[in-house]
Amino acid sequence: MSNVYSRLSTANAYDNSVRNIGMRQSNLSNLQENLTSGKRVVRTSDDPTSAAIAERSLTRISRIAADQRALESQRNAIALAESTLGDITDNLQSFRELVVSAGNGGHSNAERQAIAFQLSGLRDSIVAAANLKDTNGQPLFGAMGSATTLISGPQATSPDYTFNGLPGQQASTGISIPIALDGDSAFMLHPTRDQAFNAVVNASSTLSISGVTVSNTATVSATEAATLAATGRVNSFPDYTLAFTAVDTSVPGTTTATYTVTENPSVSGALGPVTVSYPSNQALTVTAIPGLSVSITGIPKTGDTVSVSASPSLFSVLDDAIKDIGTATTHNAASQAVAQTLTNLDIGMQRISGVRGQAGDLLTRADRITSNQDKRSVQLEADRSRAEDLDMIKGISDFNNQQTGYQAALQTYAQIQKLSLFNFIG
């Protein structure tokens, strides 16, 4: 009978145990780090692809946050501009009410002057509001860009008020809105577009002007362009003076009047004298002014004059009202000033109302942009989470399994450490 002896290498088993313990300890440490950070990808080397996706998502989220901060600044500026237009509208409404009261036939010259003084205060408030700036010191109505002082005036030269900016409205983008409204569209009046004209008779006249209307838009536009070429002044238009040089009422029921029209600056050529006969009980329609028609009621006298000028801005309308009402010495003159002012004031208020509506549209657009950006942020955050965040349930389960395996490895190591021949000698 033979005996078979087998020799086991305890050193090899010992080395394997130590290596496994070290590996399990490293894995357990990594899982613990993942659990404490809440992330599956702690370092780029853990998963390069997922790390790149997460980094790209974080970059886009940061960009959206920056865009939103800029949008909030733009929204605040437009909201302030819209609120300012509301204040201007309220002041204009108060101005209008005072103008209507000035037409009261019982007012004396002193009372009309007192009303003109009140109108001056409202005018100053409106001009100050038009020049209002945002928190960055930029004009709220600077359009495409402007000087620090947006509206300059009144000035001795024509036009009396100038818009120191580049007219137009900046376009919105998918992530932003303009930071300023178009002050030119809100406050400046163009002869062709707005057709706001002021007609004034001389103080001693009993004539009445029912209004100035545009009879030929193309002619008015050409005259406006010719004035710009001759003077270099934007938003400028000639002033016209109609003077009656002869009036004949010898024929019963018929008035024959001769008048001349003077244009300053002269851009249309000679406007020679005109003689016209019309029924005395009807209005005289003057068509000698290029592109314009003026209706005059009453029997003129030799020496009577009618001045016709375009109102280049809302502020010009206000100034004309203050001047004409304050200097009116008769009820007829005051009535003429009131009628002209109300017509042109309504035109100016329509311009402001239109720009205020644009401000409302921009604020609505800003709300839509914010909503879209929030949705994009949620989507990007979900992409980032899927790429690098740890599934906590799976992570805890893996950690418990790894911890159990680590404990088993330690116990095995303890048993293998006792397998030594010296433990059995003695």
Side-chain angles (χ1 to χ4, degrees), residues 88-89 91-100 119 122 126 186 189 196-198 311 313-319 321 337-353:
I88 291 175
T89 300
N91 285 333
L92 287 175
Q93 188 60 41
S94 299
F95 193 100
R96 195 179 195 282
E97 292 171 0
L98 284 173
V99 168
V100 172
L119 294 176
L122 288 173
I126 293 170
L189 303 176
F197 294 89
N198 191 45
S311 296
S313 68
L314 173 63
F315 316 109
S316 305
V317 173
L318 305 183
D319 280 356
V338 169
Q340 294 290 330
T341 299
L342 293 180
T343 299
N344 293 335
L345 196 59
D346 288 343
I347 293 173
M349 292 179 71
Q350 288 177 0
R351 298 302 310 172
I352 290 179
S353 178

Side-chain angles (χ1 to χ4, degrees), residues 289-338:
I289 301 176
L292 302 181
S293 177
V294 182
S295 182
I296 301 176
T297 303
I299 298 177
K301 300 187 298 292
T302 301
D304 280 350
T305 61
V306 178
S307 300
V308 178
S309 60
S311 296
S313 68
L314 173 63
F315 316 109
S316 305
V317 173
L318 305 183
D319 280 356
D320 288 340
I322 295 169
K323 179 187 67 176
D324 295 343
I325 291 174
T327 59
T329 57
T330 64
H331 173 60
N332 180 66
S335 298
Q336 291 298 299
V338 169

Side-chain angles (χ1 to χ4, degrees), residues 44-253:
T44 304
S45 58
D46 294 340
D47 188 340
T49 301
S50 296
I53 293 174
E55 185 65 27
R56 185 161 55 247
S57 298
L58 287 172
T59 300
R60 290 175 178 173
I61 290 173
S62 299
R63 186 182 305 164
I64 288 175
D67 291 338
Q68 279 299 108
R69 288 193 295 270
L71 180 64
E72 284 305 312
S73 176
Q74 296 158 359
R75 188 206 305 267
N76 292 338
I78 295 300
L80 179 57
E82 191 276 335
S83 175
T84 301
L85 289 177
D87 294 338
I88 291 175
T89 300
D90 292 340
N91 285 333
L92 287 175
Q93 188 60 41
S94 299
F95 193 100
R96 195 179 195 282
E97 292 171 0
L98 284 173
V99 168
V100 172
S101 69
N104 188 338
H107 281 323
S108 65
N109 293 345
E111 288 173 326
R112 283 192 287 267
Q113 290 173 1
I115 291 175
F117 182 78
Q118 290 178 275
L119 294 176
S120 298
L122 288 173
R123 184 272 317 277
D124 293 341
S125 297
I126 293 170
V127 174
N131 281 318
L132 196 64
K133 299 178 178 62
D134 61 16
T135 54
N136 296 318
Q138 300 300 314
L140 291 174
F141 306 102
M144 303 290 287
S146 70
T148 303
T149 301
L150 183 67
I151 304 295
S152 297
Q155 302 165 145
T157 58
S158 180
D160 52 354
Y161 287 88
T162 55
F163 176 76
N164 302 317
L166 182 62
Q169 183 65 67
Q170 295 178 353
S172 300
T173 67
I175 58 174
S176 67
I177 61 174
I179 202 168
L181 296 177
D182 184 6
D184 180 81
S185 181
F187 307 121
M188 310 309 289
L189 303 176
H190 297 261
T192 306
R193 182 190 68 190
D194 303 303
Q195 303 180 7
F197 294 89
N198 191 45
V200 180
V201 298
N202 58 297
S204 60
S205 176
T206 58
L207 298 176
S208 297
I209 310 298
S210 60
V212 180
T213 58
V214 175
S215 58
N216 191 317
T217 303
T219 301
V220 172
S221 179
T223 303
E224 184 179 7
T227 307
L228 173 61
T231 64
R233 296 193 296 264
V234 179
N235 196 28
S236 185
F237 198 76
D239 294 332
Y240 295 93
T241 302
L242 186 151
F244 288 93
T245 58
V247 178
D248 182 9
T249 58
S250 59
V251 178

